[in-house]
Amino acid sequence: MRKHERTKQQQQHGSGGRRAALWFLLPPLLVLVMIKTNLLPQVARFKETGFNKLTNEMVQRVSSLGLDSARRQQQSLEAESAKEYNQQNHTLATNVAKDGSFRNSDVAPPTMSKLACNWSNRHSDTCRMEGDLRIHGKSATVYVLSSSTFNPNNSTITIRPYTRKWEQETMARIREVTIRSTAPEPYSFVIPPKCTVRHDVPAVVFSTGGCGTNFFHAMTDLIIPLYITAREYNGHVQLLVADYQPEFVAKFRPILAALSIYPIIDFDADTAVRCFPSAHVGLESHRILGINPGLSRNGYTMMGFRDFLRDVFSLPRPWATPVSRKPRLVFVVRRHSRAVTNEADAIAAVADLGFEVVAAGPEDVGDMAKIAAVVNSCDVMVGVHGAGLTNMVFLPHNGTIVQIIPWGNLKYPCRFDFGDPVPDMGLHYVEYEVNAEETTLKYKYPRDHPVFTDPLSIERSGKLWETFLEGQNVTLDIDRFREAMQQVYKSVTTE
């Protein structure tokens, strides 16, 4: 028993000694931990900085430890961008120095970024931004770094950069662009992709996915809004096109080249991370075939836009003035729906009045430079309601547009598209409304049919387009048409 008690006392004495040794070693160990983790300077400054400031600094440091996954995604994106960029055999549309000094650069502007969006316009949503902007087309993402307007509730927004937002079916075809804004440093936890290309000009991002090659929609949905948005940069702006349509770009290349001196970038296929000092996502749009100078930052007008087009296509006639020679008239000819079935008689009747007549069919209208020159040489344009009338933008100032309105109570919508915009263009407007005897619908429907007795009911049933726009041609009453054109002749030949 005494031996067991001695052994127990020795064990207790040994355990107490070890505890004493640990307490003796603990202070230097704590100091070592503080030095290794950089906590010692923090403790030393605790009284000076206060608990809140010290906590914020430690949170910022520790927070970065939880971003390994984001970094891996960022590195993967950078690798993809760099690989794609290096494989290209030509210089992309940038203002990058030839020696590559701006490439793979991640030097951010020192100023805070700003982001402002307008959701109230009936035609289009637009966002303007400036500062440290990084655009990755393939993912359709725009990063606005260190935004002074950052709001956690809307740090990520989406926008469809097209100008018919009231048409759900059209807008559904438009690719969404995501705009991500980050809080000012050092409060941001977002790791943005690094720049692989840096531009020193603004960017304009828009879509060509809604209009196809229809000249009316291309002009009112894209070209005029693009003029409003990009003209102020005098060509020093980079265009990035989502839903890229080669046919659109090819057809409108002269106009696009006048708005931007850089090759257009296919936004959807672009894997580079492009950095810009400022950018517009979406195009400003005011109204159909029109510009509201009060809404334009630079007071642009439709007359100014038409002067711009005249410069683009080197058109010689700025004004149409009364002259002793025969006034020229271009007759826009349609071949399918809304065609004039007695076209030859109508042209002959107009020629008998004293006009020199030029017929322009679809094959002529398809060549923009050609039709622009023809229209600019004329004083009057005549045609049935349709996209071809959009070529009135090439008429000289003081010219006249005569719109033939098909049967079907279409006076208001036809005037809305091609009548209302005319005064702001510096042109004169005349309309010739087809009566029930001049429509080929009389061969399809009896006179007591709603097509004749209640055309509005056809519109309410959703069949306006197929019935009145796609479903009829026009056989003009030549005597009635000649009388209307006689008045036009007098107006363009007298002061």
Side-chain angles (χ1 to χ4, degrees):
M1 290 291 292
R2 286 194 297 271
K3 182 177 179 180
H4 177 71
E5 289 175 358
R6 284 197 301 273
T7 301
K8 185 175 181 181
Q9 290 173 357
Q10 291 172 355
Q11 290 174 345
Q12 291 174 347
H13 177 74
S15 176
R18 285 191 295 273
R19 283 197 297 271
L22 286 173
W23 280 108
F24 179 77
L25 293 173
L26 185 59
L29 286 173
L30 287 174
V31 171
L32 181 61
V33 169
M34 288 181 177
I35 293 173
K36 291 294 187 181
T37 61
N38 202 25
L39 288 173
L40 191 57
Q42 306 286 359
V43 175
R45 298 201 319 271
F46 182 78
K47 290 183 179 180
E48 299 177 6
T49 62
F51 179 77
N52 289 338
K53 184 175 181 181
L54 178 59
T55 301
N56 288 339
E57 293 178 358
M58 294 304 297
V59 167
Q60 293 163 19
R61 179 169 299 158
V62 172
S63 67
S64 65
L65 300 177
L67 297 176
D68 289 342
S69 175
R71 282 199 181 95
R72 286 194 295 270
Q73 295 176 4
Q74 143 78 12
Q75 291 166 356
S76 174
L77 177 58
E78 290 173 13
E80 178 190 3
S81 299
K83 180 180 179 182
E84 179 70 17
Y85 186 84
N86 292 331
Q87 285 178 346
Q88 297 186 27
N89 296 321
H90 61 280
T91 303
L92 292 175
T94 69
N95 231 21
V96 180
K98 290 184 178 180
D99 62 2
S101 59
F102 279 13
R103 296 178 189 174
N104 301 317
S105 169
D106 200 34
V107 180
T111 57
M112 297 277 280
S113 299
K114 297 179 181 179
L115 169 65
C117 296
N118 180 8
W119 311 105
S120 64
N121 188 297
R122 179 176 181 268
H123 291 254
S124 62
D125 295 326
T126 56
C127 289
R128 293 168 54 88
M129 58 211 79
E130 60 183 27
D132 187 356
L133 312 177
R134 309 183 185 189
I135 300 180
H136 185 239
K138 196 164 188 179
S139 65
T141 304
V142 178
Y143 297 87
V144 183
L145 304 189
S146 297
S147 173
S148 62
T149 53
F150 175 79
N151 184 338
N153 295 327
N154 60 2
S155 60
T156 300
I157 59 178
T158 59
I159 184 171
R160 296 183 188 269
Y162 197 70
T163 60
R164 296 185 80 83
K165 75 177 190 179
W166 71 91
E167 289 186 355
Q168 294 183 1
E169 184 177 347
T170 298
M171 297 303 288
R173 303 197 302 267
I174 307 302
R175 189 184 188 199
E176 277 191 340
V177 175
T178 299
I179 302 174
R180 299 188 63 188
S181 57
T182 70
E185 295 293 345
Y187 306 106
S188 175
F189 300 110
V190 175
I191 298 179
K194 292 184 178 180
C195 305
T196 59
V197 181
R198 184 171 290 282
H199 302 247
D200 62 0
V201 297
V204 173
V205 180
F206 65 99
S207 169
T208 58
C211 67
T213 56
N214 180 286
F215 190 53
F216 170 77
H217 286 291
M219 190 61 69
T220 195
D221 297 354
L222 287 174
I223 298 301
I224 294 173
L226 189 57
Y227 173 86
I228 299 171
T229 306
R231 178 59 177 164
E232 64 185 273
Y233 301 113
N234 294 317
H236 296 282
V237 60
Q238 178 62 66
L239 306 181
L240 297 95
V241 179
D243 308 304
Y244 186 91
Q245 293 189 11
E247 297 85 358
F248 172 88
V249 173
K251 181 172 183 177
F252 292 92
R253 191 175 301 280
I255 299 175
L256 298 175
L259 291 171
S260 172
I261 63 175
Y262 307 106
I264 290 175
I265 293 174
D266 182 346
F267 187 68
D268 302 339
D270 187 34
T271 61
V273 177
R274 301 179 180 276
C275 293
F276 294 90
S278 62
H280 303 251
V281 179
L283 301 177
E284 297 181 32
S285 179
H286 301 159
R287 57 191 176 202
I288 299 299
L289 285 182
I291 299 174
N292 186 336
L295 298 178
S296 171
R297 291 188 306 280
N298 297 280
Y300 292 134
T301 65
M302 277 304 292
M303 288 187 69
F305 171 72
R306 297 199 323 111
D307 287 337
F308 165 75
L309 292 180
R310 197 177 69 253
D311 290 340
V312 169
F313 294 101
S314 301
L315 304 178
R317 296 183 70 210
W319 289 88
T321 56
V323 291
S324 57
R325 64 166 175 80
K326 282 187 174 183
R328 280 172 62 87
L329 179 149
V330 55
F331 201 112
V332 179
V333 176
R334 297 180 62 89
R335 297 301 185 203
H336 301 292
S337 62
R338 285 162 279 153
V340 177
T341 60
N342 55 345
E343 168 192 314
D345 293 337
I347 290 176
V350 173
D352 288 343
L353 292 173
F355 284 104
E356 179 185 346
V357 183
V358 180
E363 63 281 359
D364 303 304
V365 173
D367 185 330
M368 192 181 306
K370 179 179 179 181
I371 191 62
V374 169
V375 172
N376 183 253
S377 72
C378 294
D379 306 283
V380 180
M381 171 183 283
V382 179
V384 181
H385 174 82
L389 293 184
T390 312
N391 288 287
M392 67 183 178
V393 294
F394 301 122
L395 280 170
H397 298 317
N398 205 43
T400 301
I401 174 76
V402 179
Q403 177 175 209
I404 299 173
I405 300 176
W407 175 258
N409 198 41
L410 297 178
K411 185 171 185 174
Y412 170 75
C414 289
R415 182 180 291 177
F416 181 77
D417 286 345
F418 295 110
D420 293 347
V422 162
D424 287 346
M425 293 187 188
L427 302 173
H428 302 286
Y429 176 70
V430 176
E431 59 189 22
Y432 178 92
E433 194 170 7
V434 167
N435 61 33
E437 292 298 326
E438 295 174 289
T439 175
T440 56
L441 292 175
K442 66 183 182 181
Y443 303 119
K444 296 183 180 180
Y445 303 96
R447 287 305 180 89
D448 59 354
H449 192 277
V451 161
F452 295 103
T453 61
D454 188 12
L456 282 177
S457 67
I458 305 299
E459 180 179 352
R460 289 192 296 269
S461 70
K463 296 182 178 181
L464 182 147
W465 179 266
E466 63 183 86
T467 304
F468 296 129
L469 294 175
E470 289 297 302
Q472 71 169 309
N473 289 322
V474 172
T475 304
L476 294 172
D477 180 328
I478 296 301
D479 290 337
R480 180 171 177 255
F481 181 65
R482 181 188 292 109
E483 183 179 350
M485 293 305 300
Q486 177 73 50
Q487 299 302 314
V488 175
Y489 181 84
K490 289 179 179 179
S491 70
V492 300
T493 55
T494 58
E495 293 288 351

